[in-house]
Amino acid sequence: MYQMQDLVVRINWCFQKMTSSNWSDIRNNTTLHSFYWIHEGSGVFHTDQTYQVEPGMLFYMEPGLRMRMASSTESPLLMSMVLFECCAVHFSTGQWQMPAAVPRLDLPFVKKFNGDIALKLDSTFRDVTHTWVPTNPDSELESSTILLRLIAKLHQQEQAPVQEEQAFERYARIKKEIENHFAEPLHIEQMAREHAISVSYLRKLFLKHIHLPPKDYLTAIRMQHAERYLTYTNHTLRVIAHACGYSDEFHFSKAFRKWKGVAPTEFRNGVGAGVGQMLTMNRSLP
């Protein structure tokens, strides 16, 4: 299929539609991916079966799917509609692969959301429709970024079983904390206590969703940043160690050798040099 980090989207059209009583229509453009988010009202959507529509429902239509829509007389529909193209572009071993069209996202045709997640999705769809302005590069880029974040969130929701929803939210917060604060002296046991989740269950969730225990994920984030410091800057090992969450260069070098199989200086002078040779005039970050 595709990896989430490889997805690229281009919005062709998005808008909020306030329907009238007894409004009806068909899905006219079936060549694109489409989201229909229901803000208010009620109605009926029909494909191979009929769906009673209400606020908090999200319909995802892959290219080629046909649908008829109708609004109720008493409570007309207010909905956000996002029509977009989607492809996957993979980067591996220093090279970009050819873009590959994504025929279908791994999302259900319809899902009902409640509570906080419904409020967040409602706000996000309002943001993307208000942000998008055709032919305006800044707004198109910003709205596409919002849409990608939305798609990522929807994929996370699909990965989390209902009975694990609360635990998944805690796992997601800890994962984000690791990603944003990797340079700080983080302790997984303390983070688990702060988020009221057991260390063993947290480890189970990390293994399930990203196939790494939390300590190894923290190390991976730190080492990936370290590789880039070694490649693109002339910072000393001491500076890089502190920037990547290590108290001194000895512990940093030991961890890096275990991660990469070579010492940091060997990586910088050997493997990293091939990537960074174009930057030899000035390898310091701004």
Side-chain angles (χ1 to χ4, degrees):
M1 285 287 290
Y2 56 84
Q3 294 181 338
M4 187 62 230
Q5 65 267 29
D6 295 339
L7 288 185
V8 179
V9 296
R10 181 183 184 278
I11 297 175
N12 291 62
W13 193 28
C14 65
F15 62 105
Q16 273 192 22
K17 184 175 184 65
M18 182 71 233
T19 65
S20 56
S21 298
N22 294 321
W23 166 87
S24 64
D25 201 356
I26 62 171
R27 185 190 181 198
N28 291 294
N29 193 324
T30 60
T31 64
L32 303 173
H33 299 262
S34 300
F35 281 131
Y36 285 58
W37 170 260
I38 310 303
H39 295 283
E40 301 174 9
S42 60
V44 172
F45 284 8
H46 181 80
T47 52
D48 56 342
Q49 57 182 300
T50 300
Y51 299 86
Q52 298 296 324
V53 177
E54 60 184 51
M57 294 181 77
L58 176 64
F59 289 83
Y60 162 65
M61 280 152 280
E62 64 195 79
L65 184 64
R66 299 187 178 277
M67 186 174 73
R68 300 197 309 272
M69 303 165 281
S71 187
S72 70
T73 304
E74 300 79 11
S75 184
L77 290 168
L78 171 63
M79 55 187 176
S80 286
M81 304 166 68
V82 183
L83 284 64
F84 61 98
E85 297 174 87
C86 185
C87 70
V89 184
H90 186 63
F91 183 81
S92 178
T93 61
Q95 292 185 334
W96 291 101
Q97 297 182 1
M98 291 294 292
V102 175
R104 186 186 189 284
L105 293 173
D106 190 20
L107 297 172
F109 170 66
V110 59
K111 186 169 182 177
K112 178 68 167 68
F113 293 90
N114 298 293
D116 289 342
I117 183 62
L119 293 174
K120 290 177 182 177
L121 287 174
D122 195 89
S123 176
T124 301
F125 273 102
R126 293 181 189 274
D127 286 345
V128 72
T129 55
H130 291 162
T131 301
W132 185 77
V133 178
T135 72
N136 183 315
D138 290 342
S139 69
E140 287 192 350
L141 181 60
E142 184 177 354
S143 56
S144 294
T145 302
I146 297 171
L147 179 59
L148 275 174
R149 282 200 292 261
L150 170 64
I151 292 172
K153 185 67 176 177
L154 292 172
H155 277 74
Q156 291 174 356
Q157 287 292 318
E158 288 309 301
Q159 293 172 2
V162 174
Q163 62 270 26
E164 293 183 1
E165 185 172 345
Q166 188 177 36
F168 178 82
E169 290 178 357
R170 293 172 182 174
Y171 146 79
R173 288 197 295 269
I174 291 173
K175 178 174 176 288
K176 194 69 175 176
E177 192 170 333
I178 288 173
E179 294 164 351
N180 291 342
H181 302 282
F182 66 91
E184 300 174 15
L186 300 179
H187 300 283
I188 302 302
E189 295 79 3
Q190 180 180 343
M191 295 170 72
R193 286 196 300 272
E194 290 174 351
H195 291 275
I197 186 171
S198 72
V199 174
S200 61
Y201 194 37
L202 179 63
R203 176 185 172 87
K204 179 181 177 181
L205 289 172
F206 266 82
L207 289 171
K208 176 179 180 180
H209 295 293
I210 58 174
H211 312 296
L212 284 175
K215 288 184 179 179
D216 288 359
Y217 184 65
L218 173 58
T219 298
I221 294 294
R222 286 172 168 173
M223 292 297 103
Q224 288 166 9
H225 280 280
E227 287 183 31
R228 286 154 178 79
Y229 275 115
L230 290 166
T231 299
Y232 298 112
T233 81
N234 58 4
H235 294 341
T236 65
L237 294 190
R238 182 185 179 194
V239 170
I240 295 174
H242 286 293
C244 295
Y246 292 90
S247 58
D248 56 64
E249 62 183 87
F250 171 77
H251 289 94
F252 164 67
S253 297
K254 183 178 178 180
F256 190 89
R257 182 182 286 277
K258 184 177 180 181
W259 166 263
K260 205 68 181 176
V262 296
T265 51
E266 292 178 275
F267 177 83
R268 167 173 272 170
N269 296 329
V271 180
V275 180
Q277 60 184 349
M278 294 180 66
L279 302 175
T280 53
M281 294 298 293
N282 181 6
R283 298 178 66 185
S284 297
L285 287 176

